[in-house]
Amino acid sequence: MDLLPARNPVAVDRRADGRRFSYSGQVDADALIADLDADQRAAVTTESQLVAVIAGAGSGKTRVLTRRIAYRIATESADARHTLALTFTREAAGEMRRRLLRLGLREHVEAGTFHSVMLGILKQRWTDTDRRPLTVVSDRRRLLGDTVDAADRRSIAAYLAEIEWASARGVNASAYASAARRAQRRPSPGIDRCAATYEAFQTLKRRRGVIDFDDVLAHTIRDLERDRDFADSVRWRFRHLLVDEAQDLNPLQHRLVDLLRAGRDDLFLVGDPSQAIYGFNGADPTLLVDVEDRFPGVEIVRLPVNHRSTPEVVAAGVHVLTVSGQPSPLTSNRGDGPAVEVIAADDEHDEARRTAQLVVRADPNLIRTGEIAVLARTNAQLTAFADALGRAGVAVRRSATAAGSPLRVAIRHAAALGSASRLRGWAHDVLETPDSSARSDADATAPDEPDPERRVAAAALEFLREQPLADGATFRAWVATTNPFDDASTDGVDLLTFHAAKGREWHTVVVTGVETSLVPHKSASTAEARAEEARLLYVAFTRATDRLVVTAAARRGGYARSPSALISDLDLGVTPAAPPPPRRRAHVDPLIGALRSWRDEAARRAGILPPQLCSDRDLKAIAEHRPASVDQLAATTSFGAITAEKLAPEILGIVADQSARSTMTGA
């Protein structure tokens, strides 16, 4: 739990930039480190300001990063107003901000993605210099479609992958062909056709006067390099720089970090080379691998203890790395758990059927609380599991925005609306119209399914509250990066790819299709690509906290397969035994049930969907932290101040009532 009491609350006025800056409350520096292990404490408290933290899977890197920020501010070695934390997703940035609030920090720390922070800097620069703002195009695929003829549209995905790879490395269209050959790229259309398409794509953007999100970084870098006054102002604003998931930085982001740092020693990097899995998209993990050469004098702190998974799960992940020649010192500090189970299936259908049987035998509370996941190397594999689980009566949670889904159609419609005013008007019209998804009497016993248009409209209004002037295309990009519809608001088993599972965890994880041609994937043609595939499997394994099941089929698609060499020493052919007892946290908290009942009734009265009132994620946070005030409720959840104030009487009353019941029963 990261909710800490403030010590010696005071009101202080300080001057900054010619303005009065006020805050209340001081974070207790001792409380910040009291629950950390020795390695985590060393990373948080080191007096060095040039630090690289090598954080193994499950070692608490986000906790260390946020505690480091709060600790330096508490000890006055850093100023919150000049602190910048960069990460890769809006979700990660939001989680970072929420944790800082729970720690008692009330000063402003800028935390965001590379693209969002740099876009904000560019927009301000355009305003200050009276330059016409450039339009940022979020839908590269659609723009790229205007550069190719109808016969070539099937290759758009391949073209887009190459353009993204080149953009991430700062390679322009004229240099793409030679760079791609040096990197042994093998795009299906061929390097020369990709080069021509890339050139046409760049030409089209210039003709239309638009840029894409990678151009945002390139333009920021260009201005920082060319305009010394501008560079000095940005560096003055961001004096304390922290970078999360540093192993995923691409060369463009490397350059940006160097320019922001400008030789100063105030840099805090957190990452894990063993979880570098985006090389195919241009990422370059050498920032961490070669950190001592890049930053002379850097202090390296290693977090080799996994607090999340059992020793059996960690050992399986470490084994995968060791087999691929990438040993890891990662260990677990948890007690022993069940052995890793391996299913040797006849084919993909048998694999899916046996996986469904395994899930059916599991504790139903694990499904109820979203604690089971089935992971696959590719999206195409997941269809068979969805079908098998459906036949077994088990609900599944796949990406709500998969191709062909009703949500995808609604999102596409919203994106085509264009301006913010049209998007806002459409959203209000949808939400003020009676729900069109009402079922017939014949279907009255089936669970209600939220109207996709209403879900998209609610998300659009949430988005416009943060970005009031954004257009429909930008909303579509926001959906793609934040996954607002995949928030575990329904019961079921999660179906995801290995890549999509990164950063998440489940009690039970089934890692499927661990066979030749899939893991490593047949597209991995170089030694580094195959090493990345091993790291990807390591990531998939270490998503499990308690129970890991691995599957491999003898035949897939009618062709004979053999188990991947990465699991050569695991005991294949073992049918899983009875499922182990779930961890205590997997049982449903009575407070969760009471909060869900309140949410359902309150949403019914308001004529909205329950997740629109309060997400399951917020309900779980409330149950975990049990806030006792409006401020604590706001810090615990994603609620704004107004929403927290409005909902506090009912929520806090439920929390107090359930706490009293627990005390009376001795629970």
Side-chain angles (χ1 to χ4, degrees):
M1 181 182 299
D2 278 341
L3 185 62
L4 299 177
R7 183 179 67 177
N8 303 325
V10 294
V12 181
D13 286 331
R14 294 182 176 177
R15 290 197 175 274
D17 310 340
R19 297 176 285 121
R20 303 293 291 181
F21 181 81
S22 59
Y23 70 96
S24 62
Q26 288 183 339
V27 178
D28 185 344
D30 294 333
L32 287 168
I33 61 176
D35 59 344
L36 303 181
D37 67 29
D39 298 312
Q40 293 171 334
R41 192 176 298 116
V44 169
T45 63
T46 176
E47 294 184 359
S48 174
Q49 294 184 357
L50 181 58
V51 183
V53 179
I54 311 301
S59 63
K61 70 175 182 62
T62 304
R63 167 174 286 201
V64 166
L65 186 64
T66 52
R67 298 292 181 92
R68 173 69 172 180
I69 294 171
Y71 186 84
R72 287 198 61 188
I73 293 168
T75 57
E76 300 185 343
S77 65
D79 189 331
R81 297 159 298 177
H82 298 289
T83 299
L84 172 63
L86 292 171
T87 187
F88 284 82
T89 66
R90 285 173 52 89
E91 183 179 16
E95 176 64 18
M96 196 179 301
R97 289 190 289 267
R98 285 191 291 273
R99 291 200 186 202
L100 290 171
L101 285 171
R102 294 171 192 168
L103 292 172
L105 193 67
R106 293 293 183 267
E107 296 175 277
H108 177 70
V109 173
E110 181 128 15
T113 66
F114 276 86
H115 293 95
S116 66
V117 172
M118 297 310 132
L119 181 57
I121 290 173
L122 276 184
K123 286 182 175 179
Q124 186 62 53
R125 175 163 171 78
W126 294 334
T127 300
D128 293 343
T129 56
D130 295 323
R131 291 160 57 181
R132 180 179 65 84
L134 294 171
T135 300
V136 181
V137 175
S138 58
D139 192 348
R140 270 181 165 176
R141 182 180 294 271
R142 184 176 180 180
L143 189 62
L144 188 60
D146 293 339
T147 70
V148 300
D149 56 37
D152 209 22
R153 291 185 182 273
R154 288 186 296 180
S155 298
I156 284 181
Y159 291 139
L160 187 60
E162 291 306 292
I163 291 172
E164 289 179 345
W165 174 83
S167 298
R169 306 187 75 82
V171 176
N172 59 31
S174 61
Y176 162 77
S178 58
R181 290 189 173 95
R182 285 196 303 272
Q184 300 182 51
R185 303 285 294 182
R186 296 179 181 179
S188 54
I191 287 177
D192 291 336
R193 284 178 62 188
C194 287
T197 303
Y198 189 11
E199 179 64 48
F201 179 69
Q202 298 288 66
T203 301
L204 181 63
K205 286 193 295 181
R206 289 193 295 270
R207 188 168 70 244
R208 294 185 179 180
V210 301
I211 59 176
D212 58 35
F213 279 111
D214 279 341
D215 293 330
V216 168
L217 301 189
H219 277 248
T220 307
I221 290 171
R222 182 197 63 189
D223 285 1
L224 288 171
E225 291 177 334
R226 295 180 179 179
D227 189 332
R228 183 172 179 177
D229 290 340
F230 169 64
D232 287 344
S233 68
V234 173
R235 292 164 187 156
W236 181 89
R237 177 183 173 188
F238 300 127
R239 306 175 200 175
H240 319 297
L241 183 61
L242 302 96
V243 180
D244 190 20
E245 301 285 8
Q247 78 279 352
D248 292 333
L249 265 65
N250 61 43
L252 212 60
Q253 292 159 336
H254 281 207
R255 182 59 182 153
L256 194 55
V257 169
D258 288 339
L259 288 168
L260 291 174
R261 174 177 173 253
R264 295 176 300 187
D265 285 342
D266 205 325
L267 175 65
F268 191 82
L269 301 169
V270 183
D272 181 11
S274 296
Q275 297 187 71
I277 58 174
Y278 294 108
F280 71 93
N281 206 30
D284 181 1
T286 57
L287 182 66
L288 280 178
V289 175
D290 303 329
V291 67
E292 291 180 285
D293 295 330
R294 287 179 59 87
F295 306 110
V298 64
E299 179 178 348
I300 298 177
V301 182
R302 301 184 186 277
L303 306 183
V305 178
N306 179 301
H307 300 275
R308 176 171 64 212
S309 306
T310 63
E312 291 77 7
V313 171
V314 171
V318 170
H319 170 78
V320 166
L321 293 178
T322 302
V323 169
S324 65
Q326 307 172 86
S328 168
L330 193 67
T331 60
S332 170
N333 71 341
R334 288 191 50 200
D336 291 342
V340 175
E341 307 159 34
V342 185
I343 298 177
D346 295 334
D347 55 27
E348 63 267 38
H349 307 293
D350 183 48
E351 177 188 48
R353 178 183 59 80
R354 295 173 69 177
T355 298
Q357 292 175 344
L358 178 150
V359 172
V360 169
R361 293 199 303 268
D363 189 308
N365 282 329
L366 294 176
I367 301 174
R368 179 76 174 89
T369 56
E371 287 283 357
I372 300 178
V374 176
L375 309 182
R377 177 62 180 84
T378 68
N379 267 305
Q381 295 169 253
L382 294 174
T383 301
F385 295 99
D387 292 343
L389 288 165
R391 289 193 296 270
V394 178
V396 299
R397 299 188 303 196
R398 210 173 166 182
S399 176
T401 56
S405 70
L407 272 169
R408 182 79 167 262
V409 174
I411 293 164
R412 189 183 302 117
H413 176 72
L417 292 171
S419 68
S421 60
R422 292 183 64 190
L423 179 62
R424 185 178 288 104
W426 169 82
H428 281 297
D429 286 345
V430 170
L431 294 175
E432 291 169 5
T433 302
D435 192 345
S436 61
S437 67
R439 296 179 180 272
S440 65
D441 292 339
D443 280 350
T445 58
D448 291 335
E449 292 290 340
D451 182 358
E453 276 203 335
R454 293 176 69 84
R455 294 185 68 189
V456 173
L461 292 180
E462 176 190 348
F463 165 73
L464 289 170
R465 281 194 291 270
E466 294 188 7
Q467 302 189 43
L469 301 180
D471 60 9
T474 308
F475 167 68
R476 187 175 187 175
W478 176 79
V479 169
T481 56
T482 62
N483 299 316
F485 307 111
D486 299 332
D487 63 352
S489 60
T490 60
D491 302 340
V493 174
D494 286 306
L495 303 182
L496 299 97
T497 64
F498 296 174
H499 283 99
K502 189 171 183 290
R504 300 183 61 181
E505 64 180 70
W506 296 265
H507 174 280
T508 297
V509 172
V510 184
V511 180
T512 65
V514 188
E515 311 149 10
T516 53
S517 297
L518 276 176
V519 185
H521 195 268
K522 60 184 178 182
S523 62
S525 58
T526 66
E528 175 50 37
R530 290 188 289 273
E532 183 169 302
E533 289 286 305
R535 297 194 294 269
L536 183 58
L537 186 60
Y538 165 79
V539 168
F541 279 8
T542 54
R543 300 311 93 193
T545 62
D546 287 63
R547 187 184 186 191
L548 174 63
V549 181
V550 181
T551 74
R555 297 185 68 82
R556 187 174 300 274
Y559 295 94
R561 296 290 182 90
S562 58
S564 170
L566 295 173
I567 57 170
S568 57
D569 290 340
L570 294 178
D571 189 13
L572 291 171
V574 177
T575 301
R583 292 169 64 184
R584 185 181 300 243
R585 68 184 178 87
H587 293 285
V588 179
D589 188 331
L591 179 54
I592 287 282
L595 289 168
R596 282 199 176 108
S597 297
W598 158 79
R599 181 183 67 173
D600 293 346
E601 176 59 23
R604 187 191 63 78
R605 294 196 305 266
I608 60 177
L609 298 172
Q612 292 175 239
L613 180 67
C614 181
S615 71
D616 272 20
R617 185 176 299 165
D618 283 335
L619 291 184
K620 291 178 181 179
I622 293 168
E624 179 183 358
H625 299 292
R626 298 179 180 254
S629 68
V630 176
D631 287 344
Q632 289 183 2
L633 180 63
T636 298
T637 64
S638 59
F639 299 162
I642 296 175
T643 301
E645 185 77 33
K646 181 179 179 181
L647 299 181
E650 292 181 275
I651 292 177
L652 298 182
I654 294 170
V655 172
D657 180 64
Q658 288 296 319
S659 297
R661 290 173 183 264
S662 297
T663 302
M664 292 176 61
T665 59

